[in-house]
């Protein structure tokens, strides 16, 4: 049951958004557990003192963000809240650890070899310059969340499978004196291939968010190229805009 909440009826923030934001906070904090069910819209509207269309819009907002799911004959169920990641220069491992979502990493590939042309260009390397190429599967709270491909110039730092399974890449770069300070990043979307869906525990054609990033340290040296995909049902980029 959604607890009573103080709604500011004088605020320019719409009531539906106030209700949705508070419900999402309760789910993310664990006060409303995953797997539980939301009370019906009529009861919820009466208890919170708002209209049924306001509740319906709040619920739809959370459904669209993967926080709630409507099931025919079973009502509205709470599902895993998305990982909301701010678009800033941090690593997924750090963001998950900071929010208590228990990151875990499986290293699928770790090899040294010539950088592909597009990677060499992004990192400003000579043709056939060698990089350490990494493919990792990242979990959050035991569920697969992202497939991450990264290239690190071999003269930046040596990488081991054990280190990558225990630490985030940016943590290792910082420890080696190559803390990322600037980055160029592109965010996009596409659907999952059969192989990607199998790794992520999803279905072929499931929506994915994509992110490609090149990062430089304070001296301007390129330290990392990354190409990552994320389950769109469990992940979102969050931006704060101002004028």
């Amino acid at each position: 049951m959604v607890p009573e909440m103080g709604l500011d009826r004088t605020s320019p923030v719409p009531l539906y958004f106030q209700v949705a934001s508070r419900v999402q906070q309760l789910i993310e904090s664990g006060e409303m557990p995953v797997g539980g069910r939301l009370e019906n819209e009529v009861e919820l509207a009466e208890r919170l003192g708002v209209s049924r269309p306001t509740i319906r819009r709040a619920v739809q907002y959370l459904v669209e963000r993967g926080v709630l799911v409507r099931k025919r004959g079973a009502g509205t169920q709470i599902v895993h809240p998305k990982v909301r990641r701010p678009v800033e220069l941090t690593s997924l491992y750090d963001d998950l650890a900071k929010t208590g979502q228990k990151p875990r990493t499986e290293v699928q590939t770790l090899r040294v070899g010539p950088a592909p042309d597009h990677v060499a260009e992004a990192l400003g390397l000579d043709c056939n310059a060698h990089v350490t190429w990494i493919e990792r599967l990242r979990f959050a709270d035991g569920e697969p969340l992202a497939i991450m491909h990264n290239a690190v110039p071999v003269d930046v730092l040596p990488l081991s499978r054990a280190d990558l399974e225990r630490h985030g890449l940016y943590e290792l770069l910082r420890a080696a004196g190559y803390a990322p300070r600037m980055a160029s990043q592109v965010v996009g979307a596409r659907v999952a291939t059969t192989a990607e869906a199998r790794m992520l525990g999803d279905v072929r054609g499931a929506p994915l968010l994509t992110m490609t990033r090149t990062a430089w340290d304070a001296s301007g040296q390129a330290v990392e190229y990354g190409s990552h995909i994320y389950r769109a049902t469990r992940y979102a980029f969050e931006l704060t805009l101002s004028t």
Side-chain angles (χ1 to χ4, degrees):
M1 177 181 291
V2 179
E4 297 292 339
M5 61 181 69
L7 300 175
D8 185 354
R9 298 173 191 276
T10 65
S11 170
V13 178
L15 287 176
Y16 88 88
F17 189 78
Q18 292 185 47
V19 172
S21 297
R22 180 58 179 147
V23 170
Q24 183 160 336
Q25 289 172 3
L26 293 167
I27 293 170
E28 291 178 347
S29 69
E31 293 179 57
M32 294 179 63
V34 170
R37 301 194 184 282
L38 203 67
E39 58 201 287
N40 70 59
E41 293 177 359
V42 174
E43 293 175 352
L44 190 54
E46 290 179 353
R47 214 161 44 72
L48 298 182
V50 297
S51 68
R52 188 175 178 185
T54 293
I55 293 298
R56 186 180 301 116
R57 191 171 179 188
V59 170
Q60 182 60 33
Y61 178 88
L62 294 174
V63 168
E64 290 171 355
R65 279 149 185 79
V67 177
L68 301 175
V69 62
R70 288 191 174 104
K71 294 188 176 181
R72 186 181 300 275
T76 303
Q77 186 174 12
I78 299 167
V79 294
H80 290 284
K82 286 187 178 182
V83 174
R84 294 188 299 164
R85 182 180 181 187
V87 180
E88 57 187 40
L89 194 50
T90 59
S91 74
L92 177 58
Y93 189 97
D94 292 342
D95 291 337
L96 292 172
K98 190 183 301 181
T99 54
Q101 298 193 66
K102 299 177 184 176
R104 180 170 66 84
T105 305
E106 290 183 3
V107 178
Q108 308 292 314
T109 301
L110 178 63
R111 58 180 170 79
V112 173
D117 290 346
H118 70 286
V119 174
E121 182 179 356
L123 292 171
L125 301 175
D126 295 333
C127 292
N128 296 319
H130 280 51
V131 295
T132 303
W133 184 257
I134 315 156
E135 179 182 347
R136 293 168 293 167
L137 180 60
R138 176 62 48 75
F139 294 78
D141 286 335
E143 285 197 20
L145 175 66
I147 300 171
M148 305 184 299
H149 295 90
N150 292 85
V152 177
V154 291
D155 59 351
V156 170
L157 81 162
L159 291 164
S160 72
R161 186 177 295 267
D163 283 343
L164 288 165
E165 290 182 342
R166 287 196 300 263
H167 305 281
L169 178 58
Y170 277 24
E171 180 184 356
L172 295 171
L173 287 169
R174 289 193 296 268
Y178 293 96
R181 296 298 185 193
M182 301 167 285
S184 172
Q185 178 168 286
V186 178
V187 176
R190 63 176 175 82
V191 298
T193 65
T194 300
E196 291 166 344
R198 187 182 305 115
M199 289 180 70
L200 292 170
D202 219 323
V203 297
R204 183 176 182 274
L208 299 174
L209 290 173
T210 67
M211 186 271 284
T212 302
R213 173 191 283 179
T214 305
W216 296 267
D217 68 6
S219 72
Q221 178 174 352
V223 296
E224 174 250 357
Y225 170 86
S227 178
H228 303 171
I229 60 172
Y230 309 87
R231 293 172 63 189
T233 54
R234 292 278 288 113
Y235 189 87
F237 289 102
E238 184 175 85
L239 298 92
T240 300
L241 306 177
S242 63
T243 58

